Amino acid sequence: MIIDLTDTTSSEIASALLKARRNAGSPAMGMVGTIVVVVDESSHHDAMKAANEAGREHPSRVLVAILRPGKGAPGLDAEVRVGEGIPGEAVLLRLHGPLAKVPESVITPLLLPDSPVIVWWPGGGPRVPAEDPLGKLGRRRVTDAAATRRASIDYSARAEGYAPGDTDFAWTRLTPWRALMAAALDQYPTKVTGAEVAAARGNPSADLMAAWLQSRLKVPVEQRNTRGPGVTAVRLFTPSGPIALTRPDGAVATFSVPGQPDRPVALKRRTTSELLSEELRRLDPDDVYAKTLACMVERDAMPDDAKTVGATARKSTAAKVTAAGKKVAQQAAGPKKSAAAAKATAAKKASAKKTTAKKSAAKKSAAKKPSVKKAAVRR
């Protein structure tokens, strides 16, 4: 059911929601929270679609606010949607004129009581989400640095103004990467001497991944540009060889651990609705994200040399051990060869002496024995 309201109020919108719910035969709300989406006119369709798809796992009331500030008269237009394949309720709000500068006055009466509020800015978000009028209403504030230019400056501002509940889709996209790398070190505990993150140029997830590895491992982390898509590889350099997770096609990754065969891992790039569903599963403060933001600020102040992994850290000791083993083997084989050669020479000399002695004995015996002719003459 779709109800169009022109030049309306929050009270009329709430009444239309109640009426539509009753007409649909579901007087109970059965929703777990409210998703407030702050978006522009050009991308509101995709944002509402993603929120409704996430609502299949978390039925919610979706309030999509399109802000149109200007000098005209204040006005509010709404489109209420209940049913029609929508798991919860969806309201499209267009705020005109001075009303767009105070959107909280329209959104607050439409929030579900006693339930969490998630505020999402698909177009990037404010510099400090917790200080935004709508951000103050949210228990969880979701931004997306990939939708903005100059993401590093935005992250620096967000690190300074971080508040519990802040998060970013650039960080959410790293959840499977972080899980696999942490599991690798759990299964293969070893010393890490350095790390490398390869991704497309300007990818904010790569910046966060590098900062997370540096904050957790306390080692230099180098970033390398590739053609993408997104993050293409993460490598941890260890004395036994690199632990690597490479994904050149954006769908299937190869997981490599020293001494074990390579394993394929499903690691496709997730959709916006999947990222939003993950954020709806956990509403507690993300302390790891806060520490990663702080490390990003530290990395920005570090010289380039400190963010480079040297050849010594990259080289594994396995090659050194192999080379040393060959050298020892050659050194050990040298005396053996000399001893064998000396033994062969001695055997030849002994054989020659025996042959000479036999010849001498034969000559002596022949000299002592009289010939047949002499014996016949004597007779």
Side-chain angles (χ1 to χ4, degrees):
M1 177 180 293
I2 301 178
I3 302 175
D4 291 325
L5 301 173
T6 304
D7 197 13
T8 184
T9 62
S10 299
S11 176
E12 292 179 357
I13 295 173
S15 300
L17 285 169
L18 180 59
K19 180 181 178 180
R21 193 164 57 245
R22 287 177 176 175
N23 292 337
S26 56
M29 288 185 293
M31 288 170 284
V32 298
T34 305
I35 303 175
V36 179
V37 186
V38 187
V39 69
D40 56 19
E41 189 71 44
S42 62
S43 57
H44 79 275
H45 177 76
D46 294 337
M48 179 175 284
K49 181 181 178 181
N52 288 331
E53 289 178 355
R56 300 184 186 280
E57 183 179 347
H58 310 275
S60 306
R61 173 177 288 180
V62 180
L63 304 176
V64 180
I66 301 175
L67 308 182
R68 291 179 168 181
K71 297 181 180 180
L76 174 62
D77 298 331
E79 185 180 290
V80 179
R81 300 182 182 183
V82 178
E84 302 290 337
I86 298 176
E89 300 171 345
V91 182
L92 180 62
L93 303 168
R94 290 183 172 88
L95 289 72
H96 305 276
L99 189 62
K101 297 181 180 181
V102 285
E104 68 278 10
S105 63
V106 177
I107 299 295
T108 302
L110 300 176
L111 301 177
L112 292 176
D114 301 326
S115 62
V117 178
I118 298 90
V119 184
W120 171 34
W121 292 270
R127 290 173 59 86
V128 183
E131 296 180 359
D132 185 81
L134 290 178
K136 294 178 181 179
L137 302 176
R139 181 175 176 181
R140 194 81 166 175
R141 295 168 291 276
V142 184
T143 56
D144 191 358
T148 63
R149 302 177 180 177
R150 306 181 69 184
S152 59
I153 298 178
D154 291 342
Y155 270 124
S156 300
R158 288 172 188 171
E160 296 174 1
Y162 173 82
D166 290 354
T167 190
D168 196 281
F169 275 167
W171 174 250
T172 311
R173 293 184 183 98
L174 294 176
T175 300
W177 289 86
R178 295 189 296 119
L180 287 171
M181 300 311 294
L185 291 179
D186 287 340
Q187 298 172 7
Y188 190 80
T190 184
K191 179 183 178 182
V192 178
T193 57
E196 180 184 76
V197 179
R201 182 182 297 274
N203 186 279
S205 295
D207 298 335
L208 286 169
M209 188 69 185
W212 176 70
L213 290 173
Q214 181 175 319
S215 65
R216 306 304 295 177
L217 300 176
K218 309 300 181 184
V219 296
V221 181
E222 184 175 341
Q223 292 184 243
R224 185 168 58 86
N225 295 327
T226 63
R227 294 183 179 180
V231 180
T232 56
V234 176
R235 298 180 180 88
L236 305 180
F237 301 106
T238 70
S240 302
I243 298 174
L245 184 63
T246 57
R247 187 191 64 178
D249 59 354
V252 180
T254 302
F255 190 48
S256 305
V257 176
Q260 298 182 13
D262 294 347
R263 290 173 286 176
V265 179
L267 195 63
K268 71 179 184 68
R269 303 188 74 189
R270 295 184 292 172
T271 62
T272 304
S273 61
E274 291 173 328
L275 299 175
L276 185 59
S277 296
E278 179 181 332
E279 291 301 331
L280 293 174
R281 292 188 200 110
R282 53 171 303 173
L283 300 176
D284 56 317
D286 194 342
D287 297 333
V288 179
Y289 174 63
K291 293 179 181 179
T292 303
L293 285 178
C295 187
M296 282 194 67
V297 177
E298 295 177 3
R299 283 179 61 84
D300 289 341
M302 292 171 56
D304 293 338
D305 295 343
K307 294 183 286 186
T308 302
V309 181
T312 304
R314 289 174 179 270
K315 190 174 182 180
S316 63
T317 57
K320 297 178 181 179
V321 172
T322 303
K326 289 183 179 179
K327 187 175 181 180
V328 172
Q330 291 175 355
Q331 292 176 352
K336 289 182 180 179
K337 289 182 179 179
S338 300
K343 189 175 181 180
T345 302
K348 288 181 180 180
K349 289 181 179 180
S351 177
K353 287 181 179 180
K354 288 182 180 180
T355 303
T356 304
K358 287 181 180 180
K359 289 181 178 180
S360 300
K363 289 181 179 180
K364 289 180 180 180
S365 62
K368 291 180 180 181
K369 187 176 180 180
S371 63
V372 178
K373 290 183 178 180
K374 289 182 180 181
V377 171
R378 289 176 182 178
R379 288 179 182 177

